[in-house]
Amino acid sequence: METEKVSKIPRRLESFLEALYIELDKMKFYLPEELLYKMNNPDLEFMIHISVVVLIIVLVSGLIAWKMGKKVKEKIPENIKKRVIAAKEFVVPSSGPRFRKRDKMAFMGQKMVKRVKAAGSYIRGGQGRKRRAIAKFAKRLLGQEGSPEIIGQNFRLNLPLEYLEEEDFEAGGGIMPQQLRFVLQNMRVFGHFEHPIFLELVKQIEYMTVSTNQYLFKVGDPDENIFIVQSGLVNVYASDGDSSTTLKHVKPGDAIMSLLSFLDHLAGHNKPYKTVSARATEDSKIIKLPFGAFKIAFEKYPDSYLRVVQIVMIRLQRVTLLALHQYLGLGAELIAAQHRGDKNVKYTDDMDDFMNTSQEQETLEQQTPPTPSALQLTMNLESYGELRNSSQLRRKGSLVKREKMMLFALKSFKEQLKLESEASLEGNVEIRDIPAGFRIMEEDSLKDAALVLVIEGCFSVSQKNDEGKEQEIHLCYTGGLLGQLQVLTGEPSIFTVQAKVNSKVACLSRQVVFDMMSVQPDVTLQLANSVTEHMSPYVRSIDFALDWVLIESGKALYRQGDEADCTFVVLSGRLRSVVQRDGRKEMVAEYGRGELCGIVETLTGAKRSTTLLAVRDTEIAKIPGGLINSIKLKYPIVVSRLINLLGKRLLSLQQPSLQQSVPGSSQAVGEGSTAPGYSTVAVIAVTPGVSLSAITLELVYSLASIGPAICITPEVVRAALGPNALEPGNDFKLTAWLGAQEDHYKTVVYQCDSMDHLTSWTQQCVRHADVVLVFANAQESPMVSTFEEKLETLSLRVTKELVLCHTENTEIPSGTAKWLENRPWISHHYHIKLADRMYTKRSQRKLSEHYARLVEEKVRPDVHSDFSRLARMIR
C-alpha cells in the first residue's frame, strides 16, 4: 500500500503541470496580437520594457517583505533578542581584537573535551573501553585529532635528532696547524683578509714562553701587540690606583688586545698600557702579532685599509658601547666629559689671517697660474667694488657672512680630516640654520646620517638613562664635529644631539664622506680617532676584557654542566639552547640578534643548565664575569640594573605564561623570552606553480613597513661585488659582504634559485638563514621530492617553516596533514592566499621596478593581508 502511495505522488504532480500548461496556453487568446508578435520576435525596446516591469515587481515585493519582517521582528521576545546579540558578539566583537571563527571553535572544542574527560573519569569499573570511546568520539567530533586546518600549529611531529645535537667534525682541525688556526680565528674580528694579506701578517708572528706568575706585560709597557694564548692560562688585571681586579681569564685560543690601541697604532699614536696588565697563572706559550704587521700589509694592499677600520669601528660600537649601555646601563660613564670644540672661538676670528695667507700664496704663483679653485674664488668676494645703495650693502653683508661661514667650514673640515686639498669639499658642504631645541640626531635613529661641524652656537650631547630621561654627557661648541661614528659604521646613533641656542652648522652627507675615504683612506682613520678621543679612559680597560667571537654552525658555545664565567650577546646569527633530561634532549629557547645569553648562571655563580649551540655561523660579544664585577665596583649603579635584569629572568622562568613561544617550538622560552624575530630569511620553492620572485618582493615590501629590509639575489651580489662574486674562490669575500648587509638591515631576505637542482647560491642562502620559508603550491602533490631531501640534509639545524599557497577563491584549506606527515623537519606552517597577479609571469626587473615605484609613492602595504601577517610572524 505504501509503495502505491509513493508512486501516486509523481503522477499527480505530472497531471498538475499538464493542466497548468494548458491554462497558460489558453491565455494567448486574450493577449493583443502586437504583444504576441513582440513575444515571438523580441527587440531591444521590448526587452527594456520587460526589464523595467520585472524590476518594479521585485522592488514592490522586497518592500512588502521588509515591512512584514519589521513587524515580525517587533513581536520577537526580548530574551531571544539578547541571545542573538550575544552570539553575534562572540563571533565578531564590535570592539577590541577580533579572532577567527575557527580559533574560537577550537578553544570551545578543547574546553568541551576537558569536560567530557572529566565526565568519563566518573565512570568506574570494567576495562575503560567506555571512557576511551567517549574521549575518542569527543576528539573526533571537535577536531582534536583532525586536520591541521582546525588544530593550527598544535600539529607537530618530533624534530630530527640532528636539530638538537652538536657537530663533532671540526673543519680543518687535522690539516691546519694549531697556531695558524688560533691566529685565523682571532683575525676574524678585522673581517675577511685576502690570502696575500694574511700571508704578510703570518710572516711577522713571534712565539714566546711565559713562566708561572711572570708578567706578559705591565702598566707602562708599550701597547703595540696582539697576544694569543697557545697553551696555558693568563689573567688580565685592571689597575685602579693601589688596587687591581681580574678582568678575564684568557684560555688557549683566546686573545689579549684592544681595538682602541689598534686604531691608535695605525694613526701613529703609540701609547703604553695605562690601566691593564697580564700575568700567567701557569706556564704558557704565547703567539705575538705586532700591530706594525698590519701597517706593513696595508701599505702593500691599501684597498683593505678602509674596510678594516670600518669593521673595527662597527665592532667597537656594537660590542663595547651598545652592549654595555643596553644591558649594564652604562652611558655617560663610557664617554669623556670634556666638551667638543671651543666656546671662545668664533668663525670670523682667523679669517683675516687666512685671507692674508692666501694672498701671499697668490703672489708666489707663476705668471700663468692654474685655474683657481672654488675656495680661492670665494676669498676674492671682498675685493669687489663698493656697492652704492644701502639695500645692496645689506645683501652684500649677508653674502659675505655666509661666505665666511663656508670658508671656516672648508678650513675646519680640511684640518680635522687631514685632507690633501679642498677639491673633494667643493659644492658638497651645506650650511644650515638650526633653531634652539631642534634635534639634529636622535638616539637609536639612522635618519639623516651626516658629518656635522658646528660653526656657531652650542649643542647638547645626551643619552637616555634607565628611567628614560635624557642625561647630558657634554656640550659641543664652534669647531666641534658630530656624527662621526654614525657615518663610519652606518649604525643608529647612540646619542641625542639637540641645539641649546640658535646655531649654524656645516654638513657633509655620508655618501660624500665615503667618496673622500675611497680617494684618501687616511680620512677613515682621522674620523675613527676623533671618536676614540672622546671616550673615557675606563673604556680602554673594558675593551681589553671584551672579546668578539665567531661560532661556526653546529658548534657549542658552552655545554651543560660547564662553569659559568661569562655572558654572551648575539651580534648576528642564531643560537639554540638545549637541555638534556633523562637521556632526552629538548629545546629550551632560541636567541636572535641583540639577545643576552647565560646571564642568570653568570650572576648566580651556578653551572650551565643548558647547552648552547650555533644554528648557523654566529657572531658573539663575550662579556667576562670578571669585567662585570669590576664595573660593579667602579659604578655601583650597575648593581641595581643587574638585580632588575636577573629578577625579570627568574620571574619569567617561574611564570611561563608570561613568556613568548619560540618560533618552531611549543615550549616556552626560558632566558630567551625576549628573543627577537628572524634577522635572515631564505625563501625557496619546492613545487611548480610558485612565482618565487613575486613572493619574495611582496614579502620584503611587507617587512619594510616593520623595519629596513632587503632582498638579495645573485644579480644583487654580482652588481655589488663583480661578475665573479659567486665563484668558489670568493666565498670569504661574499660571506663578509652578506654579514655587512645584516649590520645595515633589520631583515635580510635571500631568494634561492629554482628547484631544478641545489645550486651553490641556494646553499649560501640556507647557510646564512635563521629560518627557511618553504613555499609550496597547495594544489600540487604533497610527496617529498629529491630536491627537498637534499635541502634537509644540507640544513639539519636550521628552522624550516612551510608556507602553503592558495588561490584567491580558496575558502577552506584542505590536505595539510599529508604535507606535514611527510616532513617531520617542518616546525611551523602557514596558509596564504596569492593574488591573481602573482601567478602572472613577469621578469625580475619589472617586478623590482613595480615595488620601487610603490616605495617612491609611499604606498604602504595592507596590514591585514596574508603577507603582512607572515612578515609580523617573522619579525
Side-chain angles (χ1 to χ4, degrees):
M1 293 293 292
E2 291 181 1
T3 54
E4 291 179 2
K5 289 181 180 179
V6 173
S7 61
K8 285 181 180 179
I9 294 174
R11 292 175 186 171
R12 291 178 180 175
L13 181 61
E14 187 178 351
S15 60
F16 172 75
L17 292 174
E18 289 179 358
L20 181 63
Y21 177 78
I22 293 170
E23 292 298 325
L24 290 174
D25 192 55
K26 290 180 180 178
M27 290 179 64
K28 293 181 180 179
F29 297 102
Y30 301 102
L31 295 176
E33 292 183 1
E34 293 181 0
L35 183 59
L36 286 173
Y37 177 79
K38 289 284 187 182
M39 290 175 65
N40 293 326
N41 303 284
D43 57 2
L44 180 61
E45 184 181 0
F46 177 75
M47 296 302 295
I48 291 173
H49 290 160
I50 293 296
S51 300
V52 170
V53 172
V54 171
L55 181 62
I56 292 172
I57 293 172
V58 170
L59 289 175
V60 172
S61 303
L63 183 63
I64 293 171
W66 178 74
K67 287 283 187 181
M68 294 177 64
K70 195 173 180 182
K71 290 182 179 180
V72 171
K73 189 175 180 181
E74 291 174 355
K75 295 180 181 180
I76 297 174
E78 288 296 324
N79 59 341
I80 297 178
K81 286 183 179 180
K82 290 179 180 179
R83 290 180 182 179
V84 172
I85 293 172
K88 286 183 178 180
E89 186 67 22
F90 175 76
V91 176
V92 183
S94 57
S95 62
R98 298 190 176 191
F99 301 94
R100 294 177 297 182
K101 295 179 183 178
R102 70 181 186 186
D103 293 336
K104 292 186 177 182
M105 295 305 297
F107 170 76
M108 296 302 295
Q110 291 173 359
K111 195 172 181 181
M112 290 180 65
V113 166
K114 290 179 181 178
R115 290 183 178 179
V116 170
K117 285 183 177 179
S121 64
Y122 287 102
I123 304 174
R124 304 294 181 188
Q127 299 177 358
R129 292 178 181 173
K130 291 183 179 179
R131 292 193 298 273
R132 288 195 295 271
I134 290 175
K136 186 176 181 181
F137 173 74
K139 287 181 179 180
R140 291 184 62 184
L141 177 66
L142 300 169
Q144 297 304 301
E145 289 182 350
S147 66
E149 297 85 15
I150 298 174
I151 63 177
Q153 302 302 337
N154 290 330
F155 185 91
R156 186 175 293 111
L157 300 174
N158 293 329
L159 293 170
L161 292 177
E162 295 84 357
Y163 196 78
L164 307 175
E165 290 182 350
E166 181 184 356
E167 179 65 63
D168 295 328
F169 175 73
E170 185 175 354
I175 302 172
M176 188 180 296
Q178 186 190 57
Q179 303 96 314
L180 201 59
R181 194 168 71 251
F182 285 164
V183 172
L184 182 60
Q185 175 181 313
N186 286 282
M187 288 304 98
R188 286 172 174 169
V189 71
F190 301 107
H192 166 64
F193 283 129
E194 301 290 343
H195 188 64
I197 300 178
F198 185 69
L199 290 179
E200 285 291 335
L201 296 176
V202 171
K203 290 178 184 178
Q204 307 294 327
I205 286 178
E206 301 175 18
Y207 298 94
M208 55 189 299
T209 302
V210 184
S211 304
T212 305
N213 292 328
Q214 182 182 348
Y215 278 94
L216 179 62
F217 59 81
K218 297 180 182 179
V219 174
D221 291 348
D223 183 4
E224 54 187 16
N225 298 294
I226 298 174
F227 297 103
I228 302 170
V229 178
Q230 183 181 346
S231 64
L233 184 66
V234 177
N235 282 356
V236 178
Y237 302 94
S239 302
D240 188 5
D242 297 333
S243 62
S244 64
T245 56
T246 303
L247 289 180
K248 69 174 180 177
H249 308 290
V250 187
K251 300 174 183 178
D254 294 340
I256 306 171
M257 65 167 294
S258 167
L259 297 178
L260 295 175
S261 302
F262 177 77
L263 292 175
D264 287 342
H265 194 87
L266 288 183
H269 308 310
N270 299 336
K271 298 179 181 179
Y273 295 103
K274 294 182 178 179
T275 59
V276 178
S277 59
R279 187 176 63 188
T281 58
E282 59 184 69
D283 292 346
S284 305
K285 292 182 179 179
I286 307 296
I287 302 170
K288 185 171 77 172
L289 180 62
F291 288 147
F294 291 89
K295 216 167 186 179
I296 296 171
F298 291 152
E299 288 174 358
K300 293 184 178 180
Y301 305 97
D303 294 341
S304 302
Y305 188 56
L306 168 62
R307 181 170 51 84
V308 168
V309 175
Q310 279 184 284
I311 291 173
V312 168
M313 294 306 296
I314 290 174
R315 303 279 186 260
L316 186 67
Q317 178 178 358
R318 293 175 59 192
V319 178
T320 307
L321 298 179
L322 280 181
L324 296 179
H325 174 58
Q326 290 177 355
Y327 297 108
L328 299 184
L330 296 180
E333 296 83 0
L334 303 176
I335 309 300
Q338 65 183 22
H339 301 314
R340 307 189 193 192
D342 190 344
K343 65 179 178 181
N344 298 319
V345 172
K346 293 185 179 180
Y347 67 89
T348 56
D349 286 352
D350 55 349
M351 283 297 103
D352 295 334
D353 296 336
F354 189 60
M355 299 275 290
N356 294 332
T357 304
S358 64
Q359 291 174 0
E360 290 176 3
Q361 290 176 351
E362 286 179 5
T363 59
L364 297 176
E365 296 277 340
Q366 298 179 354
Q367 292 183 353
T368 56
T371 304
S373 66
L375 181 58
Q376 292 169 334
L377 289 174
T378 54
M379 291 189 300
N380 293 328
L381 281 171
E382 292 187 301
S383 64
Y384 290 161
E386 290 293 333
L387 299 175
R388 295 180 180 179
N389 55 51
S390 59
S391 63
Q392 288 176 324
L393 287 172
R394 283 195 299 271
R395 283 199 298 271
K396 183 204 170 193
S398 176
L399 180 63
V400 169
K401 183 179 179 181
R402 203 76 174 173
E403 292 303 329
K404 284 185 176 181
M405 290 183 192
M406 181 63 72
L407 289 174
F408 176 78
L410 294 171
K411 176 176 177 288
S412 299
F413 276 133
K414 182 180 178 181
E415 289 180 353
Q416 297 196 40
L417 301 181
K418 300 290 190 295
L419 296 175
E420 296 173 355
S421 70
E422 75 280 355
S424 56
L425 296 171
E426 293 174 3
N428 294 320
V429 179
E430 182 182 358
I431 305 294
R432 294 183 185 177
D433 295 325
I434 308 296
F438 184 81
R439 295 185 173 186
I440 60 174
M441 295 178 193
E442 287 273 3
E443 187 174 347
D444 298 327
S445 173
L446 192 57
K447 187 177 72 173
D448 298 332
L451 188 61
V452 179
L453 173 75
V454 179
I455 297 177
E456 187 179 54
C458 177
F459 288 85
S460 169
V461 180
S462 60
Q463 200 171 43
K464 290 181 181 178
N465 56 20
D466 289 343
E467 300 174 356
K469 297 180 180 178
E470 297 289 345
Q471 181 180 0
E472 187 177 283
I473 300 173
H474 56 238
L475 300 175
C476 186
Y477 296 103
T478 301
L481 274 182
L482 296 165
Q484 307 99 303
L485 189 59
Q486 192 179 2
V487 168
L488 267 177
T489 63
E491 297 276 309
S493 175
I494 60 174
F495 305 117
T496 294
V497 180
Q498 183 174 348
K500 294 182 74 71
V501 296
N502 292 335
S503 306
K504 292 178 173 57
V505 298
C507 300
L508 282 176
S509 68
R510 187 166 185 257
Q511 186 57 50
V512 171
V513 176
F514 265 78
D515 292 340
M516 289 191 297
M517 288 190 294
S518 61
V519 175
Q520 188 180 338
D522 287 343
V523 174
T524 313
L525 198 56
Q526 297 303 323
L527 281 176
N529 285 328
S530 68
V531 172
T532 58
E533 69 183 11
H534 289 103
M535 294 182 182
S536 70
Y538 189 61
V539 171
R540 197 172 294 268
S541 299
I542 293 174
D543 197 35
F544 271 102
L546 287 172
D547 289 323
W548 178 90
V549 183
L550 176 64
I551 304 297
E552 295 177 349
S553 175
K555 298 297 181 184
L557 189 58
Y558 58 74
R559 295 172 181 83
Q560 190 171 345
D562 288 353
E563 294 291 337
D565 58 354
C566 54
T567 299
F568 303 94
V569 180
V570 182
L571 301 179
S572 68
R574 199 162 189 84
L575 298 174
R576 179 173 297 135
S577 183
V578 178
V579 66
Q580 186 166 357
R581 298 190 186 100
D582 302 326
R584 288 187 58 195
K585 291 184 178 180
E586 300 175 5
M587 187 172 74
V588 178
E590 280 195 0
Y591 301 90
R593 184 173 180 172
E595 182 65 9
L596 197 65
C597 316
I599 182 68
V600 174
E601 297 100 334
T602 303
L603 294 180
T604 57
K607 291 187 176 182
R608 299 293 186 189
S609 59
T610 62
T611 298
L612 200 61
L613 303 175
V615 177
R616 64 182 182 94
D617 291 353
T618 304
E619 295 180 2
I620 303 294
K622 183 179 177 182
I623 307 176
L627 174 61
I628 296 176
N629 292 331
S630 174
I631 294 174
K632 286 192 294 186
L633 292 174
K634 191 170 183 66
Y635 303 109
I637 192 173
V638 172
V639 177
S640 61
R641 176 78 176 219
L642 291 173
I643 292 173
N644 185 29
L645 183 63
L646 183 60
K648 287 181 179 178
R649 289 295 172 88
L650 294 176
L651 184 63
S652 67
L653 291 173
Q654 294 177 0
Q655 299 180 4
S657 60
L658 298 179
Q659 301 170 356
Q660 300 175 1
S661 295
V662 180
S665 174
S666 61
Q667 300 177 9
V669 183
E671 286 194 4
S673 57
T674 58
Y678 301 115
S679 297
T680 55
V681 182
V683 176
I684 194 166
V686 295
T687 63
V690 176
S691 178
L692 201 58
S693 299
I695 286 174
T696 306
L697 290 172
E698 182 70 24
L699 180 60
V700 172
Y701 176 58
S702 301
L703 284 166
S705 63
I706 302 174
I710 185 175
C711 170
I712 297 184
T713 61
E715 291 73 21
V716 173
V717 174
R718 292 190 185 99
L721 302 178
N724 300 323
L726 298 178
E727 296 292 329
N730 295 323
D731 280 352
F732 286 110
K733 187 177 181 180
L734 175 61
T735 301
W737 184 81
L738 294 177
Q741 304 314 302
E742 291 185 45
D743 291 339
H744 295 131
Y745 293 93
K746 189 173 182 178
T747 311
V748 177
V749 180
Y750 297 105
Q751 180 181 326
C752 299
D753 289 330
S754 61
M755 55 170 291
D756 297 335
H757 58 282
L758 202 60
T759 62
S760 59
W761 169 247
T762 300
Q763 295 177 34
Q764 283 279 5
C765 295
V766 173
R767 194 156 54 240
H768 287 85
D770 289 341
V771 62
V772 177
L773 293 184
V774 181
F775 283 82
N777 188 345
Q779 307 302 319
E780 297 289 336
S781 170
M783 297 302 294
V784 179
S785 62
T786 307
F787 174 75
E788 278 188 85
E789 291 176 351
K790 292 180 180 178
L791 177 65
E792 169 56 16
T793 305
L794 175 69
S795 56
L796 293 173
R797 290 173 187 83
V798 180
T799 301
K800 286 170 280 293
E801 300 182 352
L802 178 65
V803 184
L804 291 174
C805 304
H806 303 267
T807 56
E808 282 188 309
N809 56 5
T810 303
E811 294 184 1
I812 300 175
S814 61
T816 313
K818 294 180 181 178
W819 285 92
L820 298 180
E821 286 170 358
N822 299 329
R823 296 167 176 82
W825 53 83
I826 295 295
S827 56
H828 227 87
H829 72 276
Y830 310 96
H831 294 276
I832 64 170
K833 289 184 179 181
L834 297 184
D836 292 338
R837 60 179 173 80
M838 300 187 73
Y839 287 101
T840 305
K841 288 187 177 181
R842 299 171 68 185
S843 66
Q844 182 81 23
R845 181 182 60 81
K846 289 186 177 180
L847 286 170
S848 300
E849 290 175 355
H850 169 70
Y851 285 100
R853 188 165 54 253
L854 292 178
V855 173
E856 287 178 5
E857 296 173 358
K858 297 182 179 180
V859 179
R860 296 183 62 83
D862 180 11
V863 295
H864 301 295
S865 68
D866 285 349
F867 276 95
S868 292
R869 293 190 182 98
L870 183 59
R872 291 193 291 272
M873 293 296 293
I874 292 172
R875 291 305 309 171

